[in-house]
Amino acid sequence: MKYNKNKFKDFIGISIAAIILFLIIFIPIYFFGGALFSFLGLKYSSFFALGKFFIILFVIYSPLDFFVECFFKVLTELNKNNAKLYNVINNLLCMFIMFFSIEVIDIFLEDIVCPPLTALLFSIIFYLFFYIVGEKLHSKVDE
């Protein structure tokens, strides 16, 4: 088997880009989400525990959210008459997935104590924030 330097360089470049992209997304969520969670009543033993919490939340929530978003996009394309209903159900389901993900992490991570009301409020605020940001980005792309 022949060693290809270009493929290795491509792999390293993509890996570095992925790490940088992850950090660009993770760092603001870590600081602002951590502050918001603390304000809402989340208790954590250390900043490391909070970081671990957000990484696990990202790993659990992202694939589930992606699947739900794709599913409802397909439903909307198949039946455009119910697009508003599908959008409402999608939004509620995404908030529930965030709430459920937080509660599952709360059960298994001993360093984190998150009351259900805190998880619910964070889920709503988190989803609304990213929904508004997504709408603004979408409107900029359309211009």
Side-chain angles (χ1 to χ4, degrees):
M1 183 152 99
K2 193 173 184 180
Y3 176 72
N4 190 341
K5 288 183 183 180
N6 289 335
K7 285 186 180 182
F8 182 72
K9 287 180 182 178
D10 289 345
F11 175 75
I12 296 296
I14 291 171
S15 299
I16 291 171
I19 290 169
I20 291 171
L21 180 62
F22 175 77
L23 290 175
I24 288 171
I25 293 170
F26 181 74
I27 289 173
I29 290 174
Y30 175 77
F31 286 109
F32 296 116
L36 179 63
F37 252 133
S38 293
F39 177 74
L40 293 175
L42 177 79
K43 306 283 187 238
Y44 51 91
S45 62
S46 68
F47 289 116
F48 176 73
L50 183 63
K52 188 167 53 171
F53 171 79
F54 277 116
I55 290 172
I56 295 169
L57 181 61
F58 180 76
V59 167
I60 292 173
Y61 176 74
S62 296
L64 292 173
D65 182 58
F66 178 75
F67 175 75
V68 168
E69 292 283 336
C70 291
F71 177 74
F72 280 103
K73 281 193 189 267
V74 169
L75 279 180
T76 302
E77 288 299 317
L78 291 175
N79 188 356
K80 293 195 186 263
N81 295 336
N82 293 332
K84 288 185 180 186
L85 175 65
Y86 293 149
N87 192 26
V88 169
I89 295 171
N90 177 31
N91 292 338
L92 291 173
L93 194 55
C94 287
M95 282 187 259
F96 174 76
I97 290 170
M98 175 63 77
F99 172 77
F100 179 75
S101 300
I102 293 169
E103 287 299 305
V104 166
I105 295 168
D106 181 44
I107 290 169
F108 292 106
L109 247 167
E110 295 175 1
D111 300 338
I112 300 288
V113 176
C114 184
L117 182 60
T118 299
L120 179 64
L121 290 173
F122 182 80
S123 300
I124 293 168
I125 293 168
F126 181 84
Y127 188 78
L128 290 175
F129 174 76
F130 280 101
Y131 180 79
I132 291 168
V133 168
E135 288 296 315
K136 292 216 181 260
L137 288 175
H138 186 62
S139 67
K140 293 265 186 201
V141 169
D142 289 342
E143 291 176 354

